Amino acid sequence: MTKRLPLLIPIIFIGISLLGTASGIYTDFLWFSELGYKSVFFKALATKSSVFLISFLVAYLFLYLNLSIAQRFAPKYQVEGDNQIVIINPPLKRLSGPITIFTAALFSFFMAIIAQEFWLDILRYNNATPFGKIDPIFQKDIAFYVFSLPLYQLVHGWLTALIMAGLIATILSYFLSRGLVIGKKNFYKLSFEAKGHLLVLAGLFFLALSLGYLLQSYGLLYSGRGVAFGVAYTDIYAELPMLRLKMLASSLVAVFIFLNIWRAGFRPLLVGLAVLLFTIVIGGIYPALIQRLVVSPNEMAREEGYIAYNIENTRAAYGIDKVVETEMSAEDGLSADDLIANEATIRNIRLWDWRPLKTTFKQIQEIRPYYVFNDVDIDRYKFNASFEQVALSARELSIDNLPSSAKTWVNEHLVYTHGYGFCLNPVNKVTSDGLPDFYVKDIPPKSNVNLSIERPEIYYGEINNAYSIIKVNEPTRELDYPKGDVNEYTVYEGGGGIELSFLRKIAFSIRFGTIKPLISSAIREDSRIIFDRTIESRASNLAPFLSFDGDPYLVVEGGRLYWMLDGYTTTSMYPYSTPTDGFNYIRNSVKVVMDAYDGDITFFVFDETDPLINSYRKIFPDLFKDASEMKEGLKAHIRYPVDLMKVQARIYSTYHMADPQVFYSKEDTWALPGEIYGDEEIEMEPYYIIMKLMGEESEEFLLMLPFTPSGKNNMIGWMAVRCDGDNYGQMIVYKFPKDKLIFGPMQIEARVNQDPTISRELTLWGQRGSSVIRGNLLVIPIEKSVLYVEPLYLKAEQSELPELKRVIVGYGNRVVMEETLEAALTRVFGTGDGGEPPPEAPIPTAGETTIEELIKRANEHFSRAEAYQKDGNWGAYGEEIARLKEVLAELDGRINP
């Protein structure tokens, strides 16, 4: 037994590894089957298996053949002095056969593992969709570079590595069999057979090298040598001829090597290598000379055509070639009547920044420590025929936040299984305490609007990816939601999860590394297991060839909760297009929808003009559905993704210059503006807004972002992307006159800092033990003018609860700060200095603070002050007294105007 132990250990290890792999494949199959995508699973598995098997056989036959030949050609004897024949007895001679098989199999296994990763490239190659656009250099459709060239490069690299592995293994085999002897006097001694064998392999290597130079010539379309990304003058007139020369030289070296098999010595081989080395040296020097002596002295004239290729293809690859540009005069005559005409825009001005709002949600609506508000999303809903912009956030479960005493396997996987409900508030409404005015809140969710919530449970979401077992035996019960000092329990009624037979229990026990699913008495015959539960993991497991947005968002429709996620097709192989973040082509072709209760997930195609998504649809026809099949209620909530607009805006900031001469001089480069958040300058991100575009009859949901000239802070224009209905995805850029100063966000921020009244207030708040959080500065185009709005939040040192306390409004040369948006607009657009607007033209607002509300607020501040005084918290006491004085002053102004 002791003698067999060394042999048993690797067998046991291999057996355990195979068992783990088998259980992983089986449970993956169950997961795909549960979601209704068995065809996707089998297509991927069959392709991977076929590629692995074929590449293994190719590699094994190649390596085994070469090692077998080396064994056959190994010398059996050698003649020494006085014609004495000496039998060669190389080490491990008796094990040469098994060693050959083992070595070939081991190398082949690793080569097959590498080749298996090409499965998707092979499928893309076999299902390529033409782009209908021909590149001007090699006259090939863009599809060749996107679908074919990547596979050619991978296969070439794999074959080259295989030839090198065969060459090294063969040299080692000859060395061990004494066919190759390295000595002191003669550096080497090589038998005729060994020489011929090794030269054949060397010839194959140089043929592969020649093929590599051919592929490199196509790679010139991704050159970074010139003024713009893509092929340049030097690449065409110097680098390309040199590559072709090196390709010819490598082929000649291969020919010389093959001829050298029947000649003594290695002179032809050395001559060929010298020629190749010479071409490599010249290939490095000649393009540099052309660049310095021909291109640099007259760069614009030489590169103009290639700059045009880069501009045209970059704009097409990022989808900004369809941007509609229009002029905006940015007039100064905005009036109260204009605000009334744009009532929906004013009513939906976002006062709640998602960052402080998330903190507020956490403080007052998480209810229990194991609930988490992971993100706050901006969307629009219709409440009682009113089109409103809202912020909402899901109350998800995080088992990481369970108390340490409650972190048992039963609690983590059988009891605490799901989140519950969400919070929703209009972005423009604030309570008298500076807190959000909730439309939906609490557990169970209470709704103040016509929004049905029949299934508030969140089994599938954004953060909890741990497995859970549902439908279990008592006394173990699944927590539904906490209710005061007791809990409400539930039994899952949805269609999600995989039923647990005995065999499946074994498989999942192996997958998750615990025997408890197999032995737990709480698990019954109809129990189900749910895993890979986040929308990101579900989407990426089903469609690993897509990239996904970093911000899934919650949608409430038909009484149920859904998650929506944007999917992108990307490639880094679009010719001439400038790369960013690892890709140089992107389309938002897919919208992913997942039911938060059942876990059902659907991929809807929203861009049928995208060749990449059309190829994927050929590969996986059962995975995708047409956009027309999405429910109208869900379709009303699709929105253009922020991440995509950021990419497009950065590219557009340079590539709005479509003229090569202007592009070359970079005389009109734009930049994304900065803003102040908290007390730090950050880059402004795109933001959603409800507004009426110039020339349109009604407001709509938009994503917008301003631009500034590079190195300056004034505003040069702004981009809007439409999100509603048939207009979805339309991009519009409004350009301001270059001879007129339009304040940019940082200039407004500077004016806020320079205003003596505002600056004094901010300083006083900071000295009273509060920190001031400056929220998003919103640039809001109205008619032909621009309005600026920035909310201010206060957060006490002893509290993590930000409260919205002031609103700053900027227009023209005026910057004012008031307690409400209504008051700020009144100061800017009133009939006199701080006067009221005309009775017939009231400024539309989220709602006016009444005298009763001011009295209520004063009483609340006084009560808090008394409580802080009893606790000895004098900093908070002083803050509440200061707030009380502010409210009393406002009350006095209302009673005695």
Side-chain angles (χ1 to χ4, degrees):
M1 182 66 183
T2 305
K3 294 181 180 180
R4 296 179 180 177
L5 187 59
L7 184 61
L8 288 174
I9 291 176
I11 292 176
I12 293 172
F13 177 78
I14 293 172
I16 293 174
S17 299
L18 291 175
L19 186 61
T21 302
S23 67
I25 293 174
Y26 176 57
T27 51
D28 281 344
F29 164 72
L30 295 174
W31 185 85
F32 275 82
S33 300
E34 174 212 346
L35 293 174
Y37 296 115
K38 283 193 290 187
S39 62
V40 176
F41 173 83
F42 283 122
K43 187 65 170 284
L45 181 62
T47 306
K48 290 179 183 179
S49 302
S50 300
V51 173
F52 180 90
L53 181 61
I54 293 171
S55 58
F56 179 85
L57 290 175
V58 170
Y60 180 80
L61 289 174
F62 180 80
L63 294 171
Y64 181 78
L65 178 64
N66 280 281
L67 292 174
S68 297
I69 292 173
Q71 290 296 323
R72 182 178 179 184
F73 288 159
K76 307 298 186 293
Y77 60 87
Q78 64 184 18
V79 180
E80 296 188 354
D82 300 326
N83 294 324
Q84 182 181 2
I85 296 176
V86 178
I87 302 298
I88 295 177
N89 188 22
L92 305 176
K93 181 178 180 181
R94 289 181 298 177
L95 298 176
S96 60
I99 289 176
T100 297
I101 295 173
F102 177 78
T103 303
L106 183 63
F107 271 97
S108 301
F109 176 79
F110 288 114
M111 293 298 293
I113 290 291
I114 294 170
Q116 182 179 267
E117 298 303 315
F118 305 165
W119 71 276
L120 194 53
D121 296 275
I122 294 171
L123 289 175
R124 278 193 288 248
Y125 175 83
N126 290 333
N127 295 274
T129 301
F131 278 69
K133 183 178 176 64
I134 305 296
D135 95 85
I137 303 300
F138 297 109
Q139 297 298 308
K140 292 184 178 293
D141 190 276
I142 301 298
F144 169 80
Y145 303 96
V146 174
F147 298 111
S148 301
L149 186 58
L151 181 61
Y152 294 158
Q153 292 172 334
L154 290 171
V155 172
H156 170 261
W158 188 85
L159 288 174
T160 303
L162 178 61
I163 293 170
M164 285 297 298
L167 184 59
I168 293 171
T170 303
I171 291 174
L172 183 61
S173 178
Y174 277 120
F175 178 77
L176 293 176
S177 64
R178 308 293 174 84
L180 171 63
V181 179
I182 299 176
K184 294 182 179 179
K185 294 183 180 179
N186 298 319
F187 181 71
Y188 67 88
K189 184 168 64 176
L190 192 64
S191 67
F192 174 78
E193 294 83 358
K195 172 190 170 183
H197 186 187
L198 294 176
L199 286 177
V200 169
L201 291 175
L204 291 175
F205 172 78
F206 281 99
L207 286 177
L209 186 63
S210 176
L211 179 60
Y213 287 129
L214 174 62
L215 295 177
Q216 283 184 41
S217 65
Y218 293 117
L220 292 177
L221 301 190
Y222 312 96
S223 170
R225 184 197 299 273
V227 176
F229 184 84
V231 71
Y233 181 92
T234 300
D235 295 317
I236 294 298
Y237 293 100
E239 191 67 42
L240 182 59
M242 288 296 99
L243 284 172
R244 288 171 175 169
L245 183 61
K246 284 187 274 190
M247 182 174 65
L248 177 61
S250 300
S251 300
L252 288 175
V253 170
V255 172
F256 288 157
I257 287 174
F258 294 142
L259 293 175
N260 210 147
I261 295 173
W262 294 278
R263 295 174 59 94
F266 294 95
R267 181 171 296 178
L269 170 60
L270 295 176
V271 171
L273 289 174
V275 172
L276 177 60
L277 181 62
F278 177 76
T279 60
I280 291 173
V281 173
I282 293 299
I285 296 174
Y286 180 65
L289 290 175
I290 294 296
Q291 182 70 28
R292 179 180 291 271
L293 301 178
V294 177
V295 177
S296 295
N298 198 16
E299 193 171 47
M300 179 57 204
R302 299 293 187 188
E303 301 285 18
E304 182 174 7
Y306 306 108
I307 294 173
Y309 294 158
N310 170 257
I311 293 173
E312 177 188 351
N313 286 278
T314 300
R315 287 168 63 92
Y318 289 95
I320 58 174
D321 55 332
K322 297 180 177 61
V323 170
V324 177
E325 294 186 352
T326 186
E327 301 295 328
M328 184 173 178
S329 57
E331 299 172 359
D332 297 328
L334 192 64
S335 66
D337 290 334
D338 294 322
L339 298 187
I340 294 171
N342 292 270
E343 182 268 342
T345 299
I346 299 299
R347 177 165 45 82
N348 282 285
I349 289 178
R350 180 164 59 86
L351 301 180
W352 280 107
D353 187 308
W354 69 269
R355 286 160 287 202
L357 188 58
K358 177 181 174 181
T359 303
T360 301
F361 282 176
K362 289 172 68 69
Q363 290 296 312
I364 62 179
Q365 279 292 306
E366 279 189 350
I367 312 296
R368 293 290 189 272
Y370 44 80
Y371 287 133
V372 172
F373 288 102
N374 182 62
D375 192 17
V376 177
D377 300 309
I378 304 299
D379 203 347
R380 70 287 198 199
Y381 284 79
K382 225 172 219 187
F383 299 128
N384 300 320
S386 176
F387 193 45
E388 295 191 48
Q389 187 177 187
V390 301
L392 70 164
S393 183
R395 187 184 291 104
E396 294 196 71
L397 178 83
S398 172
I399 60 174
D400 293 334
N401 290 354
L402 285 174
S404 56
S405 58
K407 285 189 175 182
T408 64
W409 182 83
V410 170
N411 278 339
E412 291 181 351
H413 300 288
L414 276 67
V415 176
Y416 295 91
T417 60
H418 61 276
Y420 203 90
F422 61 97
C423 290
L424 183 147
N425 67 285
V427 297
N428 62 324
K429 294 184 180 179
V430 186
T431 67
S432 59
D433 294 329
L435 299 176
D437 183 10
F438 287 104
Y439 281 175
V440 179
K441 63 178 181 177
D442 296 340
I443 300 177
K446 299 180 182 66
S447 175
N448 298 327
V449 290
N450 58 322
L451 190 65
S452 172
I453 309 168
E454 299 171 6
R455 275 295 175 196
E457 303 94 334
I458 303 173
Y459 283 85
Y460 301 86
E462 205 174 352
I463 61 170
N464 185 13
N465 214 27
Y467 72 90
S468 289
I469 299 175
I470 49 183
K471 293 189 175 181
V472 294
N473 286 320
E474 292 192 9
T476 302
R477 292 188 293 172
E478 182 187 344
L479 172 70
D480 198 19
Y481 59 88
K483 187 177 181 181
D485 295 331
V486 297
N487 291 329
E488 290 289 328
Y489 296 92
T490 188
V491 175
Y492 181 71
E493 298 176 351
I498 300 165
E499 289 192 357
L500 289 171
S501 65
F502 181 73
L503 176 61
R504 293 175 180 181
K505 288 180 185 179
I506 295 174
F508 283 110
S509 293
I510 295 172
R511 181 184 183 113
F512 296 118
T514 174
I515 198 174
K516 290 178 180 177
L518 185 61
I519 64 174
S520 174
S521 60
I523 300 176
R524 61 195 197 195
E525 290 182 358
D526 62 342
S527 292
R528 298 181 188 175
I529 186 169
I530 56 177
F531 64 101
D532 278 344
R533 300 162 58 182
T534 66
I535 186 170
E536 297 95 333
S537 66
R538 296 207 146 203
S540 59
N541 286 341
L542 287 167
F545 43 85
L546 296 178
S547 300
F548 293 99
D549 194 81
D551 184 26
Y553 59 100
L554 190 71
V555 173
V556 187
E557 165 58 24
R560 300 180 72 93
L561 308 185
Y562 297 89
W563 293 95
M564 297 190 76
L565 177 65
D566 289 281
Y568 307 112
T569 53
T570 61
T571 180
S572 60
M573 297 299 292
Y574 198 97
Y576 315 101
S577 175
T578 300
T580 180
D581 298 328
F583 57 85
N584 66 356
Y585 171 95
I586 186 169
R587 289 290 185 274
N588 177 211
S589 298
V590 175
K591 302 289 184 180
V592 185
V593 177
M594 183 180 75
D595 190 300
Y597 189 67
D598 287 334
D600 295 335
I601 186 167
T602 309
F603 294 74
F604 296 98
V605 175
F606 271 75
D607 186 355
E608 296 182 352
T609 66
D610 175 24
L612 275 170
I613 198 61
N614 288 331
S615 292
Y616 292 134
R617 294 189 79 171
K618 293 178 189 176
I619 299 169
F620 304 107
D622 296 332
L623 182 59
F624 298 100
K625 291 186 177 181
D626 292 332
S628 58
E629 297 184 57
M630 180 184 285
K631 296 178 181 178
E632 289 300 321
L634 291 174
K635 197 177 291 185
H637 294 282
I638 63 171
R639 61 183 199 181
Y640 203 80
V642 171
D643 287 353
L644 177 58
M645 187 182 186
K646 284 195 293 187
V647 170
Q648 291 175 313
R650 288 194 179 96
I651 296 296
Y652 190 81
S653 65
T654 300
Y655 285 89
H656 70 277
M657 298 179 289
D659 180 82
Q661 179 69 53
V662 176
F663 184 93
Y664 177 78
S665 62
K666 297 293 191 293
E667 63 185 62
D668 193 24
T669 305
W670 296 353
L672 305 188
E675 64 170 336
I676 301 296
Y677 176 75
D679 56 1
E680 296 181 358
E681 181 178 348
I682 62 172
E683 184 181 83
M684 179 176 282
E685 291 197 350
Y687 51 90
Y688 295 102
I689 184 172
I690 290 178
M691 62 168 287
K692 183 166 61 176
L693 291 170
M694 288 192 330
E696 297 294 330
E697 296 182 356
S698 60
E699 283 77 9
E700 56 187 288
F701 194 61
L702 304 170
L703 183 63
M704 68 165 288
L705 181 68
F707 288 109
T708 60
S710 181
K712 297 182 179 180
N713 287 327
N714 61 291
M715 195 157 58
I716 193 68
W718 57 282
M719 174 183 282
V721 189
R722 308 174 80 172
C723 297
D724 292 336
D726 295 336
N727 296 322
Y728 176 83
Q730 292 182 8
M731 304 181 74
I732 307 170
V733 169
Y734 293 88
K735 301 170 75 172
F736 293 129
K738 294 183 180 179
D739 58 353
K740 185 176 183 179
L741 174 62
I742 310 299
F743 289 124
M746 284 305 298
Q747 289 176 321
I748 295 296
E749 299 280 21
R751 291 177 66 83
V752 169
N753 292 334
Q754 294 164 4
D755 185 279
T757 303
I758 298 176
S759 179
R760 183 174 61 253
E761 290 284 346
L762 298 180
T763 302
L764 287 174
W765 283 327
Q767 293 174 349
R768 291 172 181 168
S770 298
S771 58
V772 179
I773 301 173
R774 293 168 68 164
N776 278 132
L777 175 63
L778 303 181
V779 179
I780 305 169
I782 299 178
E783 298 296 338
K784 296 181 181 180
S785 301
V786 178
L787 185 70
Y788 306 87
V789 176
E790 181 176 62
L792 291 182
Y793 311 90
L794 289 183
K795 185 176 71 171
E797 289 182 356
Q798 297 82 9
S799 170
E800 286 295 322
L801 187 62
E803 298 177 2
L804 177 59
K805 289 302 182 183
R806 294 292 185 271
V807 179
I808 296 173
V809 170
Y811 176 71
N813 291 319
R814 299 197 66 186
V815 176
V816 303
M817 182 177 73
E818 290 294 334
E819 203 169 289
T820 64
L821 176 62
E822 173 205 11
L825 291 173
T826 297
R827 280 190 58 188
V828 175
F829 297 102
T831 57
D833 185 13
E836 295 291 331
E840 67 275 12
I843 301 299
T845 66
E848 183 176 338
T849 305
T850 64
I851 292 177
E852 290 76 10
E853 288 174 336
L854 289 173
I855 295 172
K856 179 182 177 183
R857 194 188 304 177
N859 287 326
E860 290 171 347
H861 286 309
F862 182 72
S863 299
R864 288 183 194 147
E866 282 189 320
Y868 285 132
Q869 182 184 36
K870 293 178 181 178
D871 295 338
N873 189 343
W874 298 106
Y877 169 79
E879 181 181 347
E880 291 299 331
I881 292 298
R883 292 179 180 177
L884 175 61
K885 290 180 180 178
E886 293 172 0
V887 175
L888 291 176
E890 183 177 352
L891 185 61
D892 181 63
R894 297 289 288 277
I895 297 174
N896 304 301

